[in-house]
Each structure stands twice: as C-alpha cells, then as structure tokens.
Amino acid sequence: MKMAVLGVGLIGGSIGLAARARLDAEVAGFDPDAELLDRASELGAIDFAHDSVASAVEGADLVFCAAPVMALPGLVGEALDAAGDECAVTDVGSVKREVIAALGSDSRFIGGHPLAGAETSGVENARVDLFEGARWYLTPTPKTGGRAL
C-alpha cells in the first residue's frame, strides 16, 4: 500500500509512523516547511520527502491531509486534483463544514477526525501508538464512494 501524508507534524508524523510499522506501507510526505519534512524523514515518519503535493500523491492509494483547519479545503482540493481515480483522500481536521462544502461532492473524499493528540506538537513528538485505543470519526457524504469509505 502506498500512502501520502500531507503535513508532517504530530498527527501526520504519527500517521506515517503507524502506517509504516503496522501496515508496512510506503509513505510519501509533503510539508511546505522543508526543515520539518527533513526531520520527518530522519525520524522515520515518511519514506520519501516530496516538494509538492502532486509528487507526494502520485500513485497513492490513500492520502491523509494533516494541516491547520483553515488550510484544509485548499490542501484537500490540491490532493484530489493530483490523486488517481481509485485514491481515497481524507483529512484530520476537527471541523468539517468548510472542507465538506468545498469538496464533499467528490466521491474520493471522506472527512475524518481522530480523537487523539498530545500536549506537545511537531513531528519530533509523533508516536507510532498515538491512535491506539482512539476513536477516529469518518464523515461521509451522500457522494462518498464505497471504496473511499
């Protein structure tokens, strides 16, 4: 399985660590902060660092968008533009109204919200076990395709 993580802070980094450890997934990463992206690679949260959303998403089966809530509609839209027809795209934002209003008509998108985190931020605090025992809510729309869900 090939995954892309767009935004490699605490949540995105933890997704990458867990996917690599639990699923033996190949994880491509993108972050607009090149130093953060390098650090994610050094810590093993991603296998490959990319300098664009499009190159990170290329060939992915699943894309996680882990960015501040206000940035999510643009980031998810860019991921959907670059993703293949069979690629599912999700986010980890705590609110859904704007991202679903903008992108909920795309059958490949399914909103998500993991109820997990820490009092610290940044990829250096990412943990492979951050999501163990945590709920992860999905917010499908009537347009969400069965494969994405």
Side-chain angles (χ1 to χ4, degrees), residues 56-83:
V57 169
E58 185 177 347
D61 301 300
L62 178 60
V63 176
F64 287 90
C65 297
V69 170
M70 297 304 292
L72 284 173
L75 183 62
V76 171
E78 196 173 346
L80 287 166
D81 287 345

Side-chain angles (χ1 to χ4, degrees), residues 45-136:
I46 59 174
D47 293 297
F48 306 101
H50 294 270
D51 61 1
S52 72
V53 168
S55 64
V57 169
E58 185 177 347
D61 301 300
L62 178 60
V63 176
F64 287 90
C65 297
V69 170
M70 297 304 292
L72 284 173
L75 183 62
V76 171
E78 196 173 346
L80 287 166
D81 287 345
D85 292 341
E86 298 297 314
C87 179
V89 177
T90 189
D91 74 312
V92 299
S94 59
V95 295
K96 297 284 162 246
R97 182 172 304 196
E98 288 185 29
V99 73
I100 287 177
L103 304 157
S105 64
D106 192 310
S107 65
R108 298 169 297 159
F109 175 70
I110 181 163
H113 178 52
L115 300 183
E119 63 280 352
T120 56
S121 62
V123 71
E124 59 277 353
N125 295 300
R127 301 189 339 246
V128 70
D129 65 346
L130 185 68
F131 306 109
E132 286 183 16
R135 293 187 189 272
W136 194 306

